[in-house]
């Protein structure tokens, strides 16, 4: 078990990629987790209520206090704005109360989560509340999956041409959906692909090639820029 007892549960629908829980025993030392950019937005419940995190452009420290219990859901890139009711660039590099976005509905959801019994029941209550909200929210921008797929192997100009938009229009749509312009989104998604490969045991020279970096030095520089530490510190 890691220091925070972190556990992820895959999710489908409502724009979610997973839900997660974390707990730190009362007698443990305080723990600070380095959160790195992934293009996602998290909605996080703790005893202090529910807050919204991300999308990030650089590393963010997340302190976990002894005795803390946390449950959260994670929206995939581009999926959060319809549910939260604001464009993603309004949330970029931010941490703020859900109440600022949902008003009293955020308090009601926080109370429902707090009133559940176990940590697992609280996780389920948060997921259920988010799914209910997503069911009456507007649709995700249809460009989201096209842009994510296109940037995995093409340039920003190629993606703009493929979707029939100018680069400025694509940037505006990307900022609203992802919180990033397409170039930054491409860097973040490439970084996450590289991190996944490295954590699976692939040699870093091969990671660089497979993830689309010019070479291992390019990989190292990008990881340091986005995560603030060398890639080996993230493994």
């Amino acid at each position: 078990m890691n220091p925070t007892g972190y556990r992820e549960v895959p999710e489908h629908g409502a724009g979610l990629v997973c839900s997660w829980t974390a707990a730190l025993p009362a007698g443990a030392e305080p723990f600070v987790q380095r959160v790195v950019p992934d293009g996602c937005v998290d909605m996080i419940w703790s005893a202090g209520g529910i807050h919204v995190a991300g999308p990030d452009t650089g590393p963010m420290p997340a302190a976990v206090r002894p005795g803390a219990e946390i449950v959260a859901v994670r929206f995939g890139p581009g999926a959060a704005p319809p549910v939260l009711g604001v464009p993603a660039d309004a949330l970029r590099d931010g941490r703020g109360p859900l109440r600022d976005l949902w008003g009293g509905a955020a308090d009601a959801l926080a109370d429902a989560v707090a009133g559940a019994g176990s940590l697992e029941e609280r996780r389920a209550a948060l997921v259920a509340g988010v799914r209910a909200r997503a069911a009456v929210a507007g649709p995700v921008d249809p460009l989201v999956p096209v842009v994510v797929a296109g940037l995995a192997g093409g340039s920003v100009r190629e993606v703009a041409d493929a979707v029939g938009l100018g680069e400025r229009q694509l940037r505006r749509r990307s900022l609203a959906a992802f919180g990033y312009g397409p170039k930054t989104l491409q860097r973040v998604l490439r970084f996450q692909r590289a991190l996944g490969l490295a954590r699976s045991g692939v040699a870093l020279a091969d990671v660089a090639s497979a993830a689309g970096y010019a070479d291992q030095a390019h990989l190292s520089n990008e990881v340091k820029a986005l995560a603030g530490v060398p890639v080996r510190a993230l493994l």
Side-chain angles (χ1 to χ4, degrees), residues 63-152:
V64 183
R65 300 185 305 275
E69 291 189 337
I70 301 168
V71 299
V73 294
R74 180 168 298 144
F75 294 91
V83 180
L84 296 179
V86 293
D89 54 338
L91 308 170
R92 185 176 57 241
D93 292 324
R95 304 290 187 270
L98 180 64
R99 197 179 199 285
D100 289 351
L101 307 179
W102 283 10
D107 296 334
L109 179 55
D111 289 344
V113 176
S118 66
L119 196 62
E120 172 60 24
E121 289 169 333
R122 287 176 175 170
R123 183 194 66 78
L126 181 61
V127 171
V130 171
R131 289 189 183 280
R133 184 80 176 201
V136 297
V140 171
D141 188 327
L143 252 64
V144 163
V146 181
V147 170
V148 169
L151 291 176

Side-chain angles (χ1 to χ4, degrees), residues 155-174:
S155 68
V156 173
R157 179 178 292 277
E158 288 170 339
V159 172
D161 289 344
V163 298
L165 294 176
E167 290 189 43
R168 288 185 180 180
Q169 291 174 303
L170 177 61
R171 176 174 172 78
R172 284 196 296 270
R173 294 275 287 272
S174 293

Side-chain angles (χ1 to χ4, degrees), residues 20-31:
W20 57 268
T21 60
L24 192 61
E29 291 293 322
F31 178 72

